[in-house]
Amino acid sequence: MAAPDSTTSRPGLGAGFNPGAILAFVCMGQFMVFTDVSIVNLALPSIQSGLDMSDVSLNYIVTAYATVLGGFLLLGGRLADTFGRRRMIQIGFTIFALASLTSGLAESGDVLIISRAVQGLGAAMITPAALAILTNTFTEGPERNKALGLWGSLSGIASILGVILGGVLADAASWRWIFWINVPIGLGAALLAPRIIPESKAETRGQFDTFGAATLTGGLLLLIFTLGEATTVGWDSLRTIGSLVAVAALLAAFLVIESKVKSPMMPLKFFRLKTMRTANLSAVLVFGTFSALFFFASLFMQDVFGYSPLKAGFAYVPLAVSVAVGAGIASGLVNKVAARAVVMLGLALTVTGLLLLVRAPADGHYAVDLLAPFILLGLGCGMVFVTLQIAAFVGVSGEEAGVGAGMINTSQEAGGALGLAVIATIAYNGMGARLASANGDPGLVTKAYETANHHAFLSAAVLGFVALLVVTFLMPRGQKPANSTTPEPAEAAAEAAPAAAVLATDSRH
């Protein structure tokens, strides 16, 4: 995408601001946010040894970041719309950098977990503000499609490269550098933001929906945490059931509040729009599929194939390249054919790749049993995520771009947590009995892990197939190609929904 010759040629962009520089800036922020989703995974053994942490508390290093990020995304989007998107992205970068500093300096597991949660808060301010800035900068059509394609592909690649980078830094220097590397980047971005991006906010500023923000954010935080813990404490435990009841109460209270306040944080009219409903439902299913994929693919390579963490990280390289290729293909196709067809093709590739992983044996080889599925999964990932972004942003109002971005990202995070929790429950059903009957025999132990991972891949394929059915029957069939400059009918324009940003997360068993 070529940037204009002058520093600005867009109405409302503001003199002295270059669209190409704005795109580079927001993509850099997104890259940093999603790299940190997965960068800690291969460094976890070093962190555990250095801080003398238990296996249970070690998991919270991963989940604290993702839980707070998911729980505060919608609130971050509304704050950006209300108080200014540039201001919010500066605050987010500053919080992220300072939390990264304290993470690297941590001398105890509790300090590190709290710092990671604060990192997630900063990330939740950066992502919706950056996405809203991007969509306000580029006009609807090919320009915005290319920008969103780059955004989406970088997000997916960042999550995968984070695994590799974490392993390299932990081996070559210290696990503390996986956090310290963010400090100069975050503080520098906060200082440079006024020179690169213009300020923007919703033109109509109503009273801030404090109670709505509190009930929704609290409900989402508790939901994501409960789903993550359910695989450990059990779905039928009093703790899990009580937490889910509390989640239902908080979310019900949120709906009541949103139906009565003058300036709701999340206008309920969004849910009457077909494209909005489809975009968010698709995001929940798709991110549930891919969250489980990355979690179990990492475990499969280490527990079954016997890879070291660093080797497992580098095994993701073809998948990362395929994500970029798939994103490029999607960006070109949606200018010529309906978005529905592109998403369907991407999901078909995804399901095929997962079914191939189900066949991968414990004594298999990377080139024979993993390379082809990883390429198919990468292509599907890039095609699906980018196309959902483009389709969802058709006709989106600049007034509510931040809250729209927060909504779709919240669907992603909640979907990822839900999908992983459900699939992990299926995969590990009976795992204790299989390990006990193995009596320490290495071959039988490996076979138990092979069975669990195969069940996970098959369950993820089923979830991906459900997503394919949703897109096939619910996404508009005759959506006009995205390069058209002719306005859609009023009904279609009213149904526009915000875009999705890629989140492929990797976690530790």
Side-chain angles (χ1 to χ4, degrees):
M1 174 175 46
D5 294 334
S6 61
T7 55
T8 178
S9 62
R10 300 173 181 354
L13 183 59
F17 294 102
N18 186 294
I22 294 172
L23 176 61
F25 184 89
V26 297
C27 283
M28 178 276 297
Q30 186 75 343
F31 190 89
M32 184 176 74
V33 166
F34 282 100
T35 296
D36 264 68
V37 171
S38 58
I39 196 171
V40 300
N41 287 282
L42 293 182
L44 286 175
S46 299
I47 296 173
Q48 183 176 30
S49 175
L51 299 182
D52 192 25
M53 298 178 65
S54 67
D55 289 333
V56 173
S57 61
L58 197 65
N59 286 328
Y60 287 107
I61 299 174
V62 177
T63 58
Y65 180 87
T67 299
V68 176
L69 171 58
F72 279 92
L73 275 170
L74 190 54
L75 176 58
R78 176 55 79 187
L79 288 171
D81 283 342
T82 303
F83 299 109
R85 290 148 188 163
R86 185 178 71 190
R87 177 182 298 176
M88 198 52 54
I89 205 171
Q90 285 182 276
I91 294 173
F93 272 123
T94 302
I95 292 175
F96 194 94
L98 295 178
S100 296
L101 177 62
T102 59
S103 295
L105 293 173
E107 294 296 335
S108 71
D110 290 342
V111 172
L112 179 56
I113 291 168
I114 293 171
S115 297
R116 283 285 286 171
V118 178
Q119 265 191 316
L121 177 62
M125 295 180 178
I126 294 171
T127 294
L131 189 53
I133 289 168
L134 184 153
T135 55
N136 282 340
T137 299
F138 297 94
T139 55
E140 184 179 313
E143 272 197 341
R144 183 185 288 179
N145 293 352
K146 292 178 182 178
L148 287 171
L150 179 60
W151 167 279
S153 61
L154 282 179
S155 301
I157 293 169
S159 296
I160 300 167
L161 291 184
V163 182
I164 303 171
L165 182 60
V168 170
L169 289 175
D171 284 353
S174 164
W175 64 264
R176 298 182 185 275
W177 280 100
I178 69 177
F179 302 112
W180 286 340
I181 194 174
N182 293 319
V183 177
I185 298 174
L187 293 178
L191 292 173
L192 287 174
R195 296 177 176 270
I196 299 175
I197 56 178
E199 183 59 286
S200 65
K201 62 178 70 173
E203 293 180 6
T204 303
R205 179 175 172 177
Q207 183 178 1
F208 190 71
D209 182 11
T210 305
F211 291 109
T215 52
L216 178 63
T217 303
L220 290 175
L221 284 172
L222 184 57
L223 173 62
I224 294 171
F225 177 77
T226 301
L227 292 174
E229 288 289 288
T231 55
T232 302
V233 302
W235 285 94
D236 58 349
S237 68
L238 182 62
R239 174 177 165 184
T240 300
I241 296 172
S243 294
L244 291 176
V245 170
V247 168
L250 285 169
L251 296 181
F254 168 72
L255 292 176
V256 172
I257 292 170
E258 297 305 280
S259 67
K260 295 183 179 299
V261 296
K262 293 182 178 179
S263 301
M265 186 177 73
M266 186 178 70
L268 297 183
K269 64 182 181 181
F270 280 2
F271 293 101
R272 294 196 296 268
L273 308 178
K274 183 178 179 181
T275 307
M276 170 63 79
R277 293 197 307 269
T278 303
N280 280 274
L281 178 57
S282 299
V284 168
L285 296 170
V286 167
F287 276 84
T289 300
F290 278 97
S291 179
L293 162 66
F294 286 105
F295 180 89
F296 284 101
S298 297
L299 294 178
F300 186 74
M301 287 187 286
Q302 295 180 72
D303 295 339
V304 179
F305 273 43
Y307 287 5
S308 68
L310 187 59
K311 184 177 180 180
F314 278 107
Y316 278 119
V317 170
L319 198 156
V321 173
S322 298
V323 169
V325 173
I329 293 173
S331 296
L333 282 178
V334 294
N335 289 327
K336 302 173 183 177
V337 300
R340 172 175 169 271
V342 182
V343 178
M344 288 174 61
L345 176 59
L347 285 172
L349 292 173
T350 298
V351 172
T352 302
L354 286 166
L355 291 176
L356 288 176
L357 285 179
V358 175
R359 299 176 62 254
D363 58 351
H365 301 282
Y366 179 81
V368 176
D369 300 295
L370 297 184
L371 182 58
F374 277 8
I375 291 174
L376 291 175
L377 289 163
L379 290 172
C381 174
M383 294 179 72
V384 170
F385 291 163
V386 169
T387 309
L388 281 179
Q389 290 172 7
I390 295 170
F393 251 119
V394 174
V396 69
S397 167
E399 283 290 296
E400 294 175 320
V403 68
M407 284 182 65
I408 198 73
N409 279 277
T410 299
S411 295
Q412 295 165 10
E413 293 296 331
L418 177 61
L420 178 57
V422 172
I423 290 173
T425 301
I426 296 171
Y428 292 128
N429 183 38
M431 183 68 173
R434 288 194 294 269
L435 289 175
S437 64
N439 289 322
D441 183 289
L444 294 178
V445 170
T446 299
K447 183 66 177 178
Y449 281 111
E450 177 191 34
T451 300
N453 282 276
H454 283 174
H455 288 169
F457 295 139
L458 181 59
S459 300
V462 172
L463 190 60
F465 183 71
V466 173
L468 178 59
L469 293 178
V470 168
V471 171
T472 301
F473 293 105
L474 297 183
M475 184 169 284
R477 294 171 178 264
Q479 187 176 6
K480 188 175 293 186
N483 63 343
S484 172
T485 58
T486 304
E488 290 284 335
E491 179 182 355
E495 290 182 349
V502 174
L503 180 58
T505 58
D506 179 9
S507 189
R508 177 180 172 87
H509 171 44

